[in-house]
């Protein structure tokens, strides 16, 4: 800034005149006063100029800070978009490999001027599994690197440390593989290992490059989120493997259980056949009847095992289906000549456990056999009915009724000497149930019990 002529004169006058103003001549005093007047006008103008310069500097600083803030927000949005893309892929149930492929492709939209890789470190070999190259760069082969000569680099990556190299030739860790990197147009490299697994998120440049904090932070964020996705995918695979093993084991046990039921049924049928063969050589009526009763009981037990191995649920049998087959078998065995028995079956679609179905089936076998043998001798129109239904949670009621001649008036179920009814009494105790009987229009037996093992 140039001083005015008056100010220069005043300065010169002050420099050359060290004596008081009173000693100056009148013209000199007038000149000094004039210079002071000009100075009073000039000083406010200089002050305003300085203030404007300070304001301008402050505005430039604020503009720079705002630009930096906007750039930081844009960079944060890029990272959030990438994380959101990964999250959507994960929620869609895509595999980890598919999520990685989409992620690398998405990252190329924001870092499209350099190659992007997802690498795997298997043993001491690095191999690219997913790669996106810039349009002008198309290598002949996928990125690969042998770390056998670079043990320090291999150890570094095994520790899952981030590799930030601005120039390959200046990084001692890369010296053993520098030639291999140069051959693949790699002069700068940013590699971020996932915290689990063998994956590495990587970016390279064909020229020396100073990696920005934004680039390093973005790659680290994406690698951390891919780590979470990998862990979840790994956990899912382990669950699926465990489920497959469990299903295979369950199937194997089901096959074994079916085979057991099948073999038990076959063995019981063999016993039934042996009893039948032996009965053919017996002449005494009482002994023959005992053999036939035993044969029917064995057949009743064989039938429940047959129903179980045919059932989808090997622990429970369709009891209604079982009763129908059992009664049909007894009707075939106890032929009543030309008379047809009116059979009324009212059976609820209930499944019972083996421990309940077997004794219950034997009870039905005994009571129906007794009715067919003794109840209808003098009845031209025999009728037999069976009702079975649920009487509450896991509680059941079985009613067997015939229109035969009934039981003697002095009959006592507790003191009956017959083997069949003693067996019924024992089976009811086994079921922890109760039985009542009535003589109205024949005989009515009512059995109630609980299938404790049928719960669930």
């Amino acid at each position: 800034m140039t001083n005015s002529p008056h100010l220069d004169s005043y300065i010169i006058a002050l420099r050359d005149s060290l004596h008081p103003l009173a000693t100056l001549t009148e013209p000199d005093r007038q000149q000094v006063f004039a210079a002071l007047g000009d100075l009073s006008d000039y000083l406010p103008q200089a002050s305003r100029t300085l203030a404007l310069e300070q304001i301008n500097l402050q505005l430039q600083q604020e503009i720079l800070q705002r630009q930096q803030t906007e750039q930081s927000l844009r960079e944060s949005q890029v990272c959030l978009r990438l994380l959101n893309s990964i999250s959507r892929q994960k929620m869609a149930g895509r595999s980890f490999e598919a999520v990685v492929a989409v992620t690398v492709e998405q990252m190329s939209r924001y870092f499209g001027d350099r190659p992007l890789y997802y690498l795997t470190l298997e043993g001491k070999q690095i191999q690219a599994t997913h790669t996106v190259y810039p349009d002008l760069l198309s290598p002949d082969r996928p990125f690969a690197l042998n770390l056998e000569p670079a043990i320090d680099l291999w150890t570094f990556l095994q520790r899952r440390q981030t590799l930030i190299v601005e120039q390959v030739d200046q990084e001692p860790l890369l010296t053993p593989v520098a030639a291999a990197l140069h051959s693949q147009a790699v002069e700068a490299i940013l590699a971020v290992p996932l915290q689990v697994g063998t994956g590495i998120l990587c970016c390279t440049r064909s020229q020396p490059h100073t990696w920005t904090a934004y680039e390093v932070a973005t790659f680290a964020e994406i690698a951390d989120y891919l780590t979470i996705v990998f862990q979840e995918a790994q956990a899912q695979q382990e669950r699926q493997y465990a489920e497959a093993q469990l299903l295979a084991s369950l199937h194997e046990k089901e096959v074994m259980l079916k085979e057991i039921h099948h073999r038990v049924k076959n063995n019981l049928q063999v016993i039934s056949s042996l009893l039948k063969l032996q009965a053919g050589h017996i002449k005494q009526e009482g002994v023959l009847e005992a053999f036939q009763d035993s044969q029917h009981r064995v057949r009743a037990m064989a039938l429940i095992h047959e129903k179980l191995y045919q059932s989808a649920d090997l622990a429970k049998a369709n009891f209604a289906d079982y009763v129908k087959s059992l009664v049909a078998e007894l009707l075939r065995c106890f032929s009543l000549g030309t008379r047809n028995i009116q059979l009324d079956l009212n059976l609820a679609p209930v499944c019972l456990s083996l421990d309940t179905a077997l004794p219950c089936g034997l009870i039905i076998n005994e009571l129906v056999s007794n009715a067919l043998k003794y109840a209808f001798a003098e009845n031209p129109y025999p009728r037999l009915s069976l009702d079975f239904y649920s009487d509450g949670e896991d509680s059941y009621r079985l009613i067997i009724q015939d229109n035969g001649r009934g039981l003697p008036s002095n009959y006592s179920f507790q003191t009956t000497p017959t083997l069949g009814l003693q067996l019924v009494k024992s089976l009811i105790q086994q079921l922890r149930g109760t039985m009542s009987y009535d003589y109205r229009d024949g005989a009515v037996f009512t059995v109630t019990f609980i299938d404790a093992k049928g719960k669930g």
Side-chain angles (χ1 to χ4, degrees):
M1 183 180 298
T2 304
N3 296 330
S4 66
H6 294 293
L7 183 58
D8 291 337
S9 299
Y10 173 67
I11 294 171
I12 294 171
L14 290 177
R15 184 189 63 193
D16 296 338
S17 304
L18 299 177
H19 44 74
L21 290 176
T23 64
L24 297 176
T25 61
E26 185 61 28
D28 290 335
R29 283 200 305 273
Q30 292 297 329
Q31 185 179 3
V32 170
F33 289 148
L36 289 174
D38 291 342
L39 182 62
S40 65
D41 294 335
Y42 172 79
L43 287 176
Q45 181 181 356
S47 177
R48 287 195 298 273
T49 301
L50 181 61
L52 288 174
E53 290 177 349
Q54 292 175 344
I55 292 172
N56 183 50
L57 180 60
Q58 184 177 357
L59 286 174
Q60 290 178 352
Q61 292 175 343
E62 290 179 356
I63 291 172
L64 180 60
Q65 290 177 353
R66 181 174 297 178
Q67 290 174 343
Q68 292 174 343
T69 301
E70 291 175 352
Q71 178 65 20
S72 178
L73 287 174
R74 284 193 294 269
E75 293 171 354
S76 298
Q77 288 177 349
V78 168
C79 189
L80 288 174
R81 290 192 192 102
L82 292 171
L83 294 177
N84 186 44
S85 174
I86 297 173
S87 180
R88 288 199 306 271
Q89 297 298 318
K90 183 182 69 171
M91 294 298 293
R94 305 192 66 177
S95 68
F96 177 72
E97 292 298 320
V99 172
V100 169
V102 172
T103 300
V104 174
E105 182 66 32
Q106 292 283 339
M107 292 181 71
S108 69
R109 299 182 182 181
Y110 307 102
F111 303 95
D113 59 340
R114 77 287 304 271
L116 299 173
Y117 311 93
Y118 181 80
L119 311 173
T120 57
L121 177 58
E122 300 289 348
K124 291 183 174 60
Q125 301 291 326
I126 288 181
Q127 184 71 43
T129 59
H130 301 282
T131 306
V132 176
Y133 291 104
D135 294 336
L136 300 178
L137 181 62
S138 181
D140 297 332
R141 63 183 186 277
F143 180 86
L145 196 63
N146 179 15
L147 299 186
E148 289 284 354
I151 298 300
D152 291 342
L153 175 59
W154 177 81
T155 304
F156 184 89
L157 294 174
Q158 286 282 41
R159 293 173 180 169
R160 308 189 186 280
Q161 294 176 274
T162 300
L163 180 65
I164 306 173
V165 178
E166 298 179 354
Q167 189 169 351
V168 168
D169 290 334
Q170 295 181 358
E171 175 53 58
L173 283 174
L174 301 182
T175 300
V177 292
L181 291 172
H182 291 323
S183 68
Q184 300 181 77
V186 176
E187 297 296 335
I189 185 168
L190 171 63
V192 184
L194 274 61
Q195 294 306 302
V196 294
T198 61
I200 302 173
L201 194 61
C202 182
C203 177
T204 63
R205 300 301 293 261
S206 59
Q207 298 294 331
H209 176 72
T210 300
W211 300 100
T212 65
Y214 156 64
E215 291 172 320
V216 175
T218 301
F219 273 69
E221 285 281 351
I222 301 304
D224 286 345
Y225 203 53
L226 285 177
T227 297
I228 296 174
V229 176
F230 178 82
Q231 288 175 317
E232 293 182 356
Q234 194 174 43
Q236 178 66 18
Q237 289 178 350
E238 291 174 355
R239 285 195 298 271
Q240 290 175 348
Y241 177 76
E243 289 174 1
Q245 292 291 100
L246 186 61
L247 289 175
S249 176
L250 180 61
H251 178 69
E252 181 181 354
K253 288 178 173 58
E254 286 178 349
V255 172
M256 291 176 62
L257 194 54
K258 281 180 179 288
E259 181 65 20
I260 289 171
H261 285 305
H262 187 64
R263 291 189 179 188
V264 170
K265 186 265 297 185
N266 288 344
N267 290 337
L268 290 173
Q269 283 184 333
V270 169
I271 295 173
S272 177
S273 298
L274 290 174
L275 290 173
K276 184 177 181 180
L277 289 173
Q278 186 65 45
H281 298 280
I282 296 176
K283 304 303 180 181
Q284 296 91 339
E285 187 67 25
V287 176
L288 178 61
E289 183 178 348
F291 265 81
Q292 290 175 340
D293 288 343
S294 296
Q295 180 186 351
H296 296 154
R297 290 163 188 152
V298 171
R299 177 58 187 157
M301 291 188 288
L303 187 59
I304 189 64
H305 284 281
E306 180 180 345
K307 295 300 178 183
L308 279 171
Y309 82 74
Q310 292 174 351
S311 173
D313 185 353
L314 296 175
K316 299 179 182 179
N318 186 323
F319 194 67
D321 186 39
Y322 167 63
V323 171
K324 291 176 184 177
S325 299
L326 178 60
V327 173
E329 178 76 11
L330 291 173
L331 288 175
R332 185 184 62 81
C333 293
F334 291 96
S335 174
L336 297 182
T338 58
R339 291 179 298 167
N340 292 324
I341 296 179
Q342 180 183 343
L343 184 63
D344 297 326
L345 299 178
N346 300 300
L347 308 171
V350 173
C351 290
L352 297 180
S353 66
L354 176 62
D355 289 345
T356 301
L358 184 56
C360 192
L362 289 172
I363 291 172
I364 293 174
N365 177 80
E366 294 302 323
L367 296 179
V368 170
S369 296
N370 280 346
L372 295 176
K373 285 192 293 185
Y374 306 118
F376 305 126
E378 300 174 359
N379 192 331
Y381 305 104
R383 179 170 54 83
L384 180 65
S385 67
L386 277 83
D387 295 270
F388 179 76
Y389 55 89
S390 176
D391 199 25
E393 184 179 1
D394 297 314
S395 177
Y396 301 96
R397 185 179 296 269
L398 170 67
I399 302 174
I400 301 176
Q401 181 175 6
D402 63 67
N403 65 343
R405 59 186 180 184
L407 296 171
S409 57
N410 61 349
Y411 173 80
S412 173
F413 176 70
Q414 300 299 329
T415 59
T416 178
T418 62
L419 175 62
L421 292 179
Q422 286 180 352
L423 179 61
V424 169
K425 177 182 176 182
S426 176
L427 292 169
I428 290 174
Q429 291 176 347
Q430 180 180 333
L431 289 173
R432 297 181 181 179
T434 61
M435 187 178 80
S436 61
Y437 50 91
D438 198 354
Y439 311 108
R440 294 170 300 173
D441 300 325
V444 181
F445 293 90
T446 302
V447 179
T448 59
F449 61 91
I450 295 175
D451 184 20
K453 292 191 176 181
K455 291 183 179 180

